[in-house]
Amino acid sequence: MISKKVLVVGAGAAGLIAAGTAAENGAGVTLLEKNQRVGRKIMITGKGRCNLTNNCDVQTFINNVPVNGRFLYSAINRFTPSDTMSFFEGLGLELKTERGNRVFPLSDRAVDVVDALRDYVSDSGVKIVNDAAQALILENGEVIGVKGESRSYYADSVIICCGGKSYPLTGSTGDGYILAKQAGHTVTELKPSLVPLESSDPECKSMQGLALKNVSLKIIDKNSNKELYSDFGEMLFTHFGISGPMVLSASSHIRDIPPDTYTAVIDLKPALDSEQLDRRLQNEFRANSNKDVSNSFSKLLPKKIIIPVLKRWGVPFDKKCNAVTREERHRLCDILKGYTIPISGFRPIEEAIVTSGGVKTGEINPKTMESKLVSGLYFAGEVIDCDAYTGGFNLQIAWSTGRLAGENAALS
Ligand SMILES: Cc1cc2nc3c(=O)[nH]c(=O)nc-3n(C[C@H](O)[C@H](O)[C@H](O)COP(=O)(O)OP(=O)(O)OC[C@H]3O[C@@H](n4cnc5c(N)ncnc54)[C@H](O)[C@@H]3O)c2cc1C
């Protein structure tokens, strides 16, 4: 039997697994990658540790995909998080599961994930070519190849795995959307997700670099008083606003940021209720009774946030601790339990962990990942209009859609 020729564009998470899968299913596979090295984005995932999936069931998985989760039912059922774990373990990569079912390589090295995938594709007989796809070659409603920078490549099927538009230095510069549009596909509005948040509060800049650990964060819609997000953990002040793990997660719960709508509310002392905090303040002021209030916070707060808190409090910096009134103390408690930061916008898409938006899911067959518009054309990974919360879900989308596209491109 003459084997099918499959061309995979993009050697990221989706492309590597799609290429290996198509080859395992008997296709002659060429994998086109414009970077010198494959899997550059995988290298920086999970702060260099690669949170490669979330060890959860299919329904929990879908619940963690706020945009077009239902589209993924077939793909995730076909290649579940547990299949992903067995797949990588089968490649010799030992894994561990951490808090929140997040799965990492035991070595804590994302490079080990890339190495395992690179060995997988080369052992499966995939030919990796260093070239950038520029356009699809289409004929009578079918894709018959791809025009690269150096030459044209012909194939029976083409799988587009070019990723999104975020962190463009890794190679994800949005080329997949151009190729999809050329084939007549709709690309929905592209927006940043899992992205730092900007604030108009100038104090953020003065606190730049301050990482708060063990605080709680809420995002409140000021108009409806509705709570959009609440979590406990780590966050960071930056020159433009706020960032860090909780803030990135919070951002994916917000779709748009109309002016003057959202406020981040930080509880700087979540382990203490208001009464306990008030007692703590009384003790602190008693211990420093003849000192200025501005010199009494060193045991209570990180240095960089003391002046911003004092400014909000409005008590003169040189007021003596023993002169602080009960009402003033209560006001301080409220500030510490609900330090507010107005949110003015998202950082640009280039700084986002994932791109929200992409090739319209209604134009892709969810059972095969084949285009409903152009025969032989497939999509996998972030290029599709699906995005998830943090926790290994986004890479799992790449593995599952890549697996499904690879199988179908080889067999159909
Ligand atoms: C800092 C950071 C941390 C992250 N951490 C995690 C995490 O821990 N867990 C998680 O689940 N997700 C994480 N993500 C998200 C995850 O990395 C992506 O969702 C995932 O990599 C998408 O895979 P992909 O294969 O679709 O695209 P990509 O991994 O972006 O791969 C696309 C590939 O296509 C290539 N390419 C593009 N255009 C062309 C062209 N014209 N010709 C040839 N090749 C081309 C690119 O060079 C690239 O290699 C993180 C993202 C970032 C930015």
Side-chain angles (χ1 to χ4, degrees), residues 9-15 32-35 39-41 44-46 50-52 131-133 161-164 167 170-173 175 352-354 380-383 392-396 398:
V9 185
L32 225 56
E33 169 54 53
K34 68 177 174 183
N35 288 331
R40 275 192 63 181
K41 187 171 274 180
I44 59 164
T45 56
C50 187
N51 175 197
L52 56 94
D131 198 356
C161 305
C162 297
Y167 280 71
T170 62
S172 327
T173 49
D175 295 4
I353 300 291
V354 288
E382 202 174 315
V383 71
F393 302 104
N394 285 296
L395 277 172
Q396 182 63 46

mmCIF file of all heavy atoms in Angstrom, residues 9-15 32-35 39-41 44-46 50-52 131-133 161-164 167 170-173 175 352-354 380-383 392-396 398, ligand 1:
data_model
loop_
_atom_site.group_PDB
_atom_site.id
_atom_site.type_symbol
_atom_site.label_atom_id
_atom_site.label_comp_id
_atom_site.label_asym_id
_atom_site.label_seq_id
_atom_site.Cartn_x
_atom_site.Cartn_y
_atom_site.Cartn_z
ATOM 1 N N VAL A 9 2.686 21.494 9.977
ATOM 2 C CA VAL A 9 3.338 22.812 10.036
ATOM 3 C C VAL A 9 3.407 23.263 11.491
ATOM 4 O O VAL A 9 2.386 23.521 12.127
ATOM 5 C CB VAL A 9 2.565 23.858 9.202
ATOM 6 C CG1 VAL A 9 3.347 25.171 9.187
ATOM 7 C CG2 VAL A 9 2.314 23.363 7.794
ATOM 8 N N GLY A 10 4.644 23.363 12.017
ATOM 9 C CA GLY A 10 4.853 23.821 13.387
ATOM 10 C C GLY A 10 5.212 22.668 14.308
ATOM 11 O O GLY A 10 4.413 21.763 14.511
ATOM 12 N N ALA A 11 6.444 22.708 14.854
ATOM 13 C CA ALA A 11 6.889 21.638 15.752
ATOM 14 C C ALA A 11 6.830 22.097 17.197
ATOM 15 O O ALA A 11 7.822 22.115 17.917
ATOM 16 C CB ALA A 11 8.294 21.175 15.381
ATOM 17 N N GLY A 12 5.626 22.509 17.612
ATOM 18 C CA GLY A 12 5.379 22.774 19.029
ATOM 19 C C GLY A 12 4.731 21.543 19.622
ATOM 20 O O GLY A 12 4.855 20.432 19.072
ATOM 21 N N ALA A 13 3.999 21.736 20.716
ATOM 22 C CA ALA A 13 3.378 20.599 21.399
ATOM 23 C C ALA A 13 2.446 19.842 20.462
ATOM 24 O O ALA A 13 2.556 18.611 20.298
ATOM 25 C CB ALA A 13 2.614 21.116 22.621
ATOM 26 N N ALA A 14 1.527 20.565 19.817
ATOM 27 C CA ALA A 14 0.540 19.896 18.959
ATOM 28 C C ALA A 14 1.215 19.258 17.745
ATOM 29 O O ALA A 14 0.896 18.121 17.370
ATOM 30 C CB ALA A 14 -0.516 20.903 18.513
ATOM 31 N N GLY A 15 2.138 19.987 17.128
ATOM 32 C CA GLY A 15 2.777 19.507 15.898
ATOM 33 C C GLY A 15 3.623 18.268 16.125
ATOM 34 O O GLY A 15 3.629 17.335 15.309
ATOM 35 N N LEU A 32 7.381 20.639 9.370
ATOM 36 C CA LEU A 32 8.028 21.910 9.015
ATOM 37 C C LEU A 32 8.111 22.795 10.254
ATOM 38 O O LEU A 32 7.099 23.040 10.906
ATOM 39 C CB LEU A 32 7.120 22.599 7.995
ATOM 40 C CG LEU A 32 7.738 23.222 6.756
ATOM 41 C CD1 LEU A 32 8.544 22.202 5.997
ATOM 42 C CD2 LEU A 32 6.617 23.786 5.873
ATOM 43 N N GLU A 33 9.296 23.278 10.579
ATOM 44 C CA GLU A 33 9.437 24.165 11.744
ATOM 45 C C GLU A 33 10.347 25.328 11.353
ATOM 46 O O GLU A 33 11.431 25.127 10.840
ATOM 47 C CB GLU A 33 10.020 23.389 12.935
ATOM 48 C CG GLU A 33 10.458 24.234 14.120
ATOM 49 C CD GLU A 33 9.374 25.171 14.672
ATOM 50 O OE1 GLU A 33 8.265 24.704 14.982
ATOM 51 O OE2 GLU A 33 9.641 26.390 14.765
ATOM 52 N N LYS A 34 9.880 26.537 11.635
ATOM 53 C CA LYS A 34 10.685 27.692 11.212
ATOM 54 C C LYS A 34 11.845 27.995 12.155
ATOM 55 O O LYS A 34 12.811 28.634 11.751
ATOM 56 C CB LYS A 34 9.800 28.911 10.999
ATOM 57 C CG LYS A 34 9.169 29.489 12.227
ATOM 58 C CD LYS A 34 8.384 30.743 11.820
ATOM 59 C CE LYS A 34 7.607 31.298 12.981
ATOM 60 N NZ LYS A 34 6.794 32.434 12.609
ATOM 61 N N ASN A 35 11.759 27.546 13.414
ATOM 62 C CA ASN A 35 12.903 27.724 14.329
ATOM 63 C C ASN A 35 13.949 26.639 14.067
ATOM 64 O O ASN A 35 13.620 25.560 13.575
ATOM 65 C CB ASN A 35 12.459 27.571 15.787
ATOM 66 C CG ASN A 35 11.626 28.745 16.266
ATOM 67 O OD1 ASN A 35 11.787 29.849 15.781
ATOM 68 N ND2 ASN A 35 10.747 28.488 17.215
ATOM 69 N N GLY A 39 9.970 22.732 19.636
ATOM 70 C CA GLY A 39 9.416 22.842 20.989
ATOM 71 C C GLY A 39 9.926 23.992 21.830
ATOM 72 O O GLY A 39 10.084 23.848 23.044
ATOM 73 N N ARG A 40 10.180 25.141 21.194
ATOM 74 C CA ARG A 40 10.758 26.241 21.976
ATOM 75 C C ARG A 40 9.806 26.743 23.055
ATOM 76 O O ARG A 40 10.239 27.139 24.132
ATOM 77 C CB ARG A 40 11.158 27.397 21.053
ATOM 78 C CG ARG A 40 12.548 27.169 20.482
ATOM 79 C CD ARG A 40 13.099 28.377 19.823
ATOM 80 N NE ARG A 40 13.278 29.494 20.740
ATOM 81 C CZ ARG A 40 13.734 30.676 20.362
ATOM 82 N NH1 ARG A 40 14.043 30.885 19.110
ATOM 83 N NH2 ARG A 40 13.873 31.647 21.233
ATOM 84 N N LYS A 41 8.514 26.764 22.742
ATOM 85 C CA LYS A 41 7.589 27.266 23.781
ATOM 86 C C LYS A 41 7.477 26.266 24.940
ATOM 87 O O LYS A 41 7.406 26.671 26.095
ATOM 88 C CB LYS A 41 6.219 27.581 23.191
ATOM 89 C CG LYS A 41 5.313 28.249 24.215
ATOM 90 C CD LYS A 41 4.037 28.782 23.637
ATOM 91 C CE LYS A 41 4.215 30.177 23.071
ATOM 92 N NZ LYS A 41 2.982 30.711 22.500
ATOM 93 N N ILE A 44 9.682 26.867 27.910
ATOM 94 C CA ILE A 44 9.454 27.903 28.929
ATOM 95 C C ILE A 44 8.158 27.670 29.707
ATOM 96 O O ILE A 44 7.770 28.484 30.527
ATOM 97 C CB ILE A 44 9.438 29.324 28.304
ATOM 98 C CG1 ILE A 44 8.343 29.461 27.228
ATOM 99 C CG2 ILE A 44 10.806 29.701 27.761
ATOM 100 C CD1 ILE A 44 8.037 30.903 26.862
ATOM 101 N N THR A 45 7.487 26.548 29.432
ATOM 102 C CA THR A 45 6.229 26.310 30.140
ATOM 103 C C THR A 45 6.496 25.966 31.613
ATOM 104 O O THR A 45 7.554 25.427 31.952
ATOM 105 C CB THR A 45 5.418 25.162 29.498
ATOM 106 O OG1 THR A 45 6.239 24.007 29.451
ATOM 107 C CG2 THR A 45 4.924 25.518 28.119
ATOM 108 N N GLY A 46 5.485 26.295 32.425
ATOM 109 C CA GLY A 46 5.571 25.963 33.855
ATOM 110 C C GLY A 46 6.853 26.471 34.481
ATOM 111 O O GLY A 46 7.470 25.765 35.270
ATOM 112 N N CYS A 50 7.449 22.726 32.944
ATOM 113 C CA CYS A 50 6.437 22.134 32.064
ATOM 114 C C CYS A 50 5.342 21.359 32.801
ATOM 115 O O CYS A 50 5.473 20.163 33.070
ATOM 116 C CB CYS A 50 7.062 21.235 30.994
ATOM 117 S SG CYS A 50 5.808 20.695 29.796
ATOM 118 N N ASN A 51 4.283 22.076 33.052
ATOM 119 C CA ASN A 51 3.078 21.448 33.637
ATOM 120 C C ASN A 51 2.319 20.821 32.463
ATOM 121 O O ASN A 51 1.489 21.458 31.844
ATOM 122 C CB ASN A 51 2.258 22.556 34.333
ATOM 123 C CG ASN A 51 0.939 22.088 34.877
ATOM 124 O OD1 ASN A 51 0.070 22.895 35.162
ATOM 125 N ND2 ASN A 51 0.766 20.783 35.014
ATOM 126 N N LEU A 52 2.653 19.552 32.166
ATOM 127 C CA LEU A 52 2.265 19.008 30.861
ATOM 128 C C LEU A 52 0.829 18.523 30.753
ATOM 129 O O LEU A 52 0.317 18.358 29.655
ATOM 130 C CB LEU A 52 3.249 17.942 30.394
ATOM 131 C CG LEU A 52 3.511 16.740 31.299
ATOM 132 C CD1 LEU A 52 2.621 15.591 30.923
ATOM 133 C CD2 LEU A 52 4.965 16.351 31.159
ATOM 134 N N ASP A 131 12.022 25.128 7.866
ATOM 135 C CA ASP A 131 11.505 26.071 6.861
ATOM 136 C C ASP A 131 10.221 26.687 7.414
ATOM 137 O O ASP A 131 9.564 26.103 8.284
ATOM 138 C CB ASP A 131 11.216 25.327 5.543
ATOM 139 C CG ASP A 131 11.097 26.278 4.350
ATOM 140 O OD1 ASP A 131 11.156 27.509 4.554
ATOM 141 O OD2 ASP A 131 10.925 25.778 3.217
ATOM 142 N N ALA A 132 9.883 27.860 6.908
ATOM 143 C CA ALA A 132 8.659 28.530 7.369
ATOM 144 C C ALA A 132 7.588 28.433 6.300
ATOM 145 O O ALA A 132 7.822 28.803 5.145
ATOM 146 C CB ALA A 132 8.959 29.990 7.671
ATOM 147 N N ALA A 133 6.418 27.949 6.694
ATOM 148 C CA ALA A 133 5.303 27.875 5.745
ATOM 149 C C ALA A 133 4.806 29.287 5.458
ATOM 150 O O ALA A 133 4.622 30.086 6.368
ATOM 151 C CB ALA A 133 4.169 27.045 6.348
ATOM 152 N N CYS A 161 -0.349 23.534 12.864
ATOM 153 C CA CYS A 161 -0.087 23.523 14.313
ATOM 154 C C CYS A 161 0.828 24.700 14.664
ATOM 155 O O CYS A 161 1.859 24.521 15.322
ATOM 156 C CB CYS A 161 0.618 22.232 14.730
ATOM 157 S SG CYS A 161 -0.224 20.725 14.273
ATOM 158 N N CYS A 162 0.483 25.883 14.165
ATOM 159 C CA CYS A 162 1.396 27.031 14.301
ATOM 160 C C CYS A 162 1.256 27.766 15.620
ATOM 161 O O CYS A 162 1.924 28.775 15.842
ATOM 162 C CB CYS A 162 1.175 28.015 13.157
ATOM 163 S SG CYS A 162 1.550 27.319 11.546
ATOM 164 N N GLY A 163 0.356 27.316 16.517
ATOM 165 C CA GLY A 163 0.205 27.973 17.807
ATOM 166 C C GLY A 163 -0.534 29.291 17.678
ATOM 167 O O GLY A 163 -1.165 29.582 16.652
ATOM 168 N N GLY A 164 -0.419 30.113 18.746
ATOM 169 C CA GLY A 164 -1.142 31.388 18.774
ATOM 170 C C GLY A 164 -0.243 32.552 18.427
ATOM 171 O O GLY A 164 0.592 32.463 17.505
ATOM 172 N N TYR A 167 3.982 35.280 23.174
ATOM 173 C CA TYR A 167 5.424 34.971 23.272
ATOM 174 C C TYR A 167 5.991 34.700 21.865
ATOM 175 O O TYR A 167 6.483 33.597 21.582
ATOM 176 C CB TYR A 167 5.659 33.792 24.215
ATOM 177 C CG TYR A 167 5.626 34.185 25.686
ATOM 178 C CD1 TYR A 167 4.451 34.539 26.304
ATOM 179 C CD2 TYR A 167 6.794 34.214 26.440
ATOM 180 C CE1 TYR A 167 4.413 34.909 27.643
ATOM 181 C CE2 TYR A 167 6.770 34.576 27.786
ATOM 182 C CZ TYR A 167 5.572 34.918 28.379
ATOM 183 O OH TYR A 167 5.552 35.275 29.697
ATOM 184 N N THR A 170 9.144 32.695 20.643
ATOM 185 C CA THR A 170 9.195 31.228 20.593
ATOM 186 C C THR A 170 8.797 30.702 19.208
ATOM 187 O O THR A 170 8.829 29.499 18.970
ATOM 188 C CB THR A 170 8.234 30.595 21.623
ATOM 189 O OG1 THR A 170 6.891 30.996 21.301
ATOM 190 C CG2 THR A 170 8.559 31.009 23.031
ATOM 191 N N GLY A 171 8.380 31.611 18.327
ATOM 192 C CA GLY A 171 7.987 31.185 16.970
ATOM 193 C C GLY A 171 6.498 31.306 16.720
ATOM 194 O O GLY A 171 6.040 31.232 15.578
ATOM 195 N N SER A 172 5.718 31.492 17.787
ATOM 196 C CA SER A 172 4.253 31.584 17.617
ATOM 197 C C SER A 172 3.895 33.026 17.262
ATOM 198 O O SER A 172 3.634 33.843 18.142
ATOM 199 C CB SER A 172 3.537 31.192 18.907
ATOM 200 O OG SER A 172 4.263 30.210 19.596
ATOM 201 N N THR A 173 3.905 33.315 15.973
ATOM 202 C CA THR A 173 3.708 34.697 15.527
ATOM 203 C C THR A 173 2.382 34.884 14.794
ATOM 204 O O THR A 173 2.173 35.884 14.117
ATOM 205 C CB THR A 173 4.875 35.127 14.614
ATOM 206 O OG1 THR A 173 5.055 34.100 13.638
ATOM 207 C CG2 THR A 173 6.161 35.319 15.376
ATOM 208 N N ASP A 175 1.123 32.904 12.341
ATOM 209 C CA ASP A 175 1.094 32.477 10.923
ATOM 210 C C ASP A 175 -0.072 31.532 10.631
ATOM 211 O O ASP A 175 -0.623 31.527 9.533
ATOM 212 C CB ASP A 175 2.395 31.736 10.550
ATOM 213 C CG ASP A 175 3.611 32.631 10.630
ATOM 214 O OD1 ASP A 175 3.455 33.795 11.049
ATOM 215 O OD2 ASP A 175 4.716 32.167 10.288
ATOM 216 N N ALA A 352 0.905 37.339 26.827
ATOM 217 C CA ALA A 352 -0.080 36.407 27.382
ATOM 218 C C ALA A 352 0.467 34.982 27.340
ATOM 219 O O ALA A 352 1.247 34.630 26.460
ATOM 220 C CB ALA A 352 -1.365 36.478 26.569
ATOM 221 N N ILE A 353 0.012 34.152 28.275
ATOM 222 C CA ILE A 353 0.410 32.738 28.255
ATOM 223 C C ILE A 353 -0.291 32.038 27.092
ATOM 224 O O ILE A 353 0.307 31.199 26.420
ATOM 225 C CB ILE A 353 0.050 32.039 29.596
ATOM 226 C CG1 ILE A 353 0.761 32.715 30.776
ATOM 227 C CG2 ILE A 353 0.345 30.546 29.560
ATOM 228 C CD1 ILE A 353 2.240 32.539 30.823
ATOM 229 N N VAL A 354 -1.531 32.381 26.847
ATOM 230 C CA VAL A 354 -2.220 31.818 25.677
ATOM 231 C C VAL A 354 -3.014 32.881 24.926
ATOM 232 O O VAL A 354 -3.359 33.922 25.478
ATOM 233 C CB VAL A 354 -3.201 30.650 26.011
ATOM 234 C CG1 VAL A 354 -2.470 29.400 26.382
ATOM 235 C CG2 VAL A 354 -4.200 31.016 27.071
ATOM 236 N N ALA A 380 -4.642 21.748 14.825
ATOM 237 C CA ALA A 380 -4.437 21.234 16.188
ATOM 238 C C ALA A 380 -3.735 22.288 17.031
ATOM 239 O O ALA A 380 -2.935 23.078 16.516
ATOM 240 C CB ALA A 380 -3.608 19.943 16.158
ATOM 241 N N GLY A 381 -4.065 22.303 18.318
ATOM 242 C CA GLY A 381 -3.379 23.183 19.270
ATOM 243 C C GLY A 381 -4.003 24.563 19.381
ATOM 244 O O GLY A 381 -5.183 24.782 19.080
ATOM 245 N N GLU A 382 -3.162 25.487 19.796
ATOM 246 C CA GLU A 382 -3.636 26.828 20.175
ATOM 247 C C GLU A 382 -4.198 27.636 19.013
ATOM 248 O O GLU A 382 -4.891 28.634 19.229
ATOM 249 C CB GLU A 382 -2.455 27.564 20.821
ATOM 250 C CG GLU A 382 -2.876 28.700 21.708
ATOM 251 C CD GLU A 382 -1.678 29.312 22.436
ATOM 252 O OE1 GLU A 382 -0.837 28.557 22.973
ATOM 253 O OE2 GLU A 382 -1.591 30.549 22.460
ATOM 254 N N VAL A 383 -3.901 27.240 17.794
ATOM 255 C CA VAL A 383 -4.418 27.956 16.618
ATOM 256 C C VAL A 383 -5.952 27.900 16.575
ATOM 257 O O VAL A 383 -6.608 28.760 15.993
ATOM 258 C CB VAL A 383 -3.771 27.386 15.316
ATOM 259 C CG1 VAL A 383 -4.289 25.992 14.995
ATOM 260 C CG2 VAL A 383 -3.986 28.315 14.137
ATOM 261 N N GLY A 392 -2.139 22.969 33.340
ATOM 262 C CA GLY A 392 -1.765 21.902 32.400
ATOM 263 C C GLY A 392 -2.826 21.665 31.341
ATOM 264 O O GLY A 392 -2.671 20.797 30.474
ATOM 265 N N PHE A 393 -3.912 22.418 31.393
ATOM 266 C CA PHE A 393 -5.026 22.195 30.466
ATOM 267 C C PHE A 393 -4.691 22.626 29.031
ATOM 268 O O PHE A 393 -5.129 21.997 28.069
ATOM 269 C CB PHE A 393 -6.284 22.941 30.948
ATOM 270 C CG PHE A 393 -6.704 22.532 32.331
ATOM 271 C CD1 PHE A 393 -6.454 23.344 33.425
ATOM 272 C CD2 PHE A 393 -7.322 21.308 32.545
ATOM 273 C CE1 PHE A 393 -6.823 22.956 34.709
ATOM 274 C CE2 PHE A 393 -7.701 20.909 33.824
ATOM 275 C CZ PHE A 393 -7.444 21.740 34.902
ATOM 276 N N ASN A 394 -3.929 23.708 28.902
ATOM 277 C CA ASN A 394 -3.651 24.192 27.540
ATOM 278 C C ASN A 394 -2.746 23.228 26.772
ATOM 279 O O ASN A 394 -2.976 22.965 25.591
ATOM 280 C CB ASN A 394 -3.074 25.614 27.591
ATOM 281 C CG ASN A 394 -4.161 26.631 27.902
ATOM 282 O OD1 ASN A 394 -5.091 26.813 27.114
ATOM 283 N ND2 ASN A 394 -4.084 27.250 29.075
ATOM 284 N N LEU A 395 -1.749 22.687 27.456
ATOM 285 C CA LEU A 395 -0.909 21.697 26.755
ATOM 286 C C LEU A 395 -1.718 20.443 26.437
ATOM 287 O O LEU A 395 -1.554 19.848 25.368
ATOM 288 C CB LEU A 395 0.336 21.354 27.578
ATOM 289 C CG LEU A 395 1.497 22.345 27.418
ATOM 290 C CD1 LEU A 395 2.610 22.059 28.410
ATOM 291 C CD2 LEU A 395 2.060 22.316 25.984
ATOM 292 N N GLN A 396 -2.615 20.061 27.352
ATOM 293 C CA GLN A 396 -3.433 18.870 27.063
ATOM 294 C C GLN A 396 -4.296 19.100 25.820
ATOM 295 O O GLN A 396 -4.513 18.165 25.032
ATOM 296 C CB GLN A 396 -4.301 18.509 28.271
ATOM 297 C CG GLN A 396 -5.150 17.258 28.074
ATOM 298 C CD GLN A 396 -4.321 15.985 27.864
ATOM 299 O OE1 GLN A 396 -3.362 15.740 28.590
ATOM 300 N NE2 GLN A 396 -4.665 15.183 26.863
ATOM 301 N N ALA A 398 -3.394 20.766 23.269
ATOM 302 C CA ALA A 398 -2.461 20.526 22.154
ATOM 303 C C ALA A 398 -2.231 19.027 21.943
ATOM 304 O O ALA A 398 -2.261 18.536 20.805
ATOM 305 C CB ALA A 398 -1.136 21.243 22.412
HETATM 306 C C1 LIG B 1 5.402 31.353 29.462
HETATM 307 C C2 LIG B 1 4.400 30.263 29.137
HETATM 308 C C3 LIG B 1 4.198 29.245 30.045
HETATM 309 C C4 LIG B 1 3.246 28.254 29.774
HETATM 310 N N1 LIG B 1 3.111 27.233 30.663
HETATM 311 C C5 LIG B 1 2.190 26.249 30.421
HETATM 312 C C6 LIG B 1 2.087 25.133 31.284
HETATM 313 O O1 LIG B 1 2.880 24.966 32.233
HETATM 314 N N2 LIG B 1 1.107 24.230 31.030
HETATM 315 C C7 LIG B 1 0.262 24.345 29.967
HETATM 316 O O2 LIG B 1 -0.610 23.508 29.797
HETATM 317 N N3 LIG B 1 0.398 25.349 29.077
HETATM 318 C C8 LIG B 1 1.346 26.302 29.274
HETATM 319 N N4 LIG B 1 1.502 27.320 28.375
HETATM 320 C C9 LIG B 1 0.671 27.315 27.142
HETATM 321 C C10 LIG B 1 1.231 26.293 26.143
HETATM 322 O O3 LIG B 1 2.616 26.467 26.030
HETATM 323 C C11 LIG B 1 0.584 26.442 24.763
HETATM 324 O O4 LIG B 1 -0.819 26.408 24.903
HETATM 325 C C12 LIG B 1 1.059 25.329 23.833
HETATM 326 O O5 LIG B 1 2.450 25.396 23.670
HETATM 327 C C13 LIG B 1 0.378 25.414 22.474
HETATM 328 O O6 LIG B 1 0.939 24.426 21.642
HETATM 329 P P1 LIG B 1 0.921 24.555 20.066
HETATM 330 O O7 LIG B 1 1.671 23.390 19.558
HETATM 331 O O8 LIG B 1 -0.450 24.794 19.598
HETATM 332 O O9 LIG B 1 1.729 25.888 19.758
HETATM 333 P P2 LIG B 1 3.266 26.253 20.039
HETATM 334 O O10 LIG B 1 3.798 25.462 21.158
HETATM 335 O O11 LIG B 1 3.282 27.724 20.118
HETATM 336 O O12 LIG B 1 4.021 25.759 18.714
HETATM 337 C C14 LIG B 1 3.849 26.363 17.467
HETATM 338 C C15 LIG B 1 5.058 26.043 16.619
HETATM 339 O O13 LIG B 1 4.785 26.411 15.257
HETATM 340 C C16 LIG B 1 5.932 27.016 14.715
HETATM 341 N N5 LIG B 1 5.513 27.852 13.599
HETATM 342 C C17 LIG B 1 4.724 28.951 13.644
HETATM 343 N N6 LIG B 1 4.525 29.448 12.408
HETATM 344 C C18 LIG B 1 5.209 28.632 11.542
HETATM 345 C C19 LIG B 1 5.398 28.628 10.142
HETATM 346 N N7 LIG B 1 4.862 29.570 9.347
HETATM 347 N N8 LIG B 1 6.150 27.658 9.596
HETATM 348 C C20 LIG B 1 6.736 26.701 10.371
HETATM 349 N N9 LIG B 1 6.598 26.661 11.712
HETATM 350 C C21 LIG B 1 5.839 27.609 12.311
HETATM 351 C C22 LIG B 1 6.506 27.802 15.873
HETATM 352 O O14 LIG B 1 7.849 28.144 15.669
HETATM 353 C C23 LIG B 1 6.287 26.844 17.019
HETATM 354 O O15 LIG B 1 7.372 25.954 17.172
HETATM 355 C C24 LIG B 1 2.482 28.306 28.585
HETATM 356 C C25 LIG B 1 2.709 29.321 27.663
HETATM 357 C C26 LIG B 1 3.655 30.290 27.927
HETATM 358 C C27 LIG B 1 3.898 31.378 26.916
#
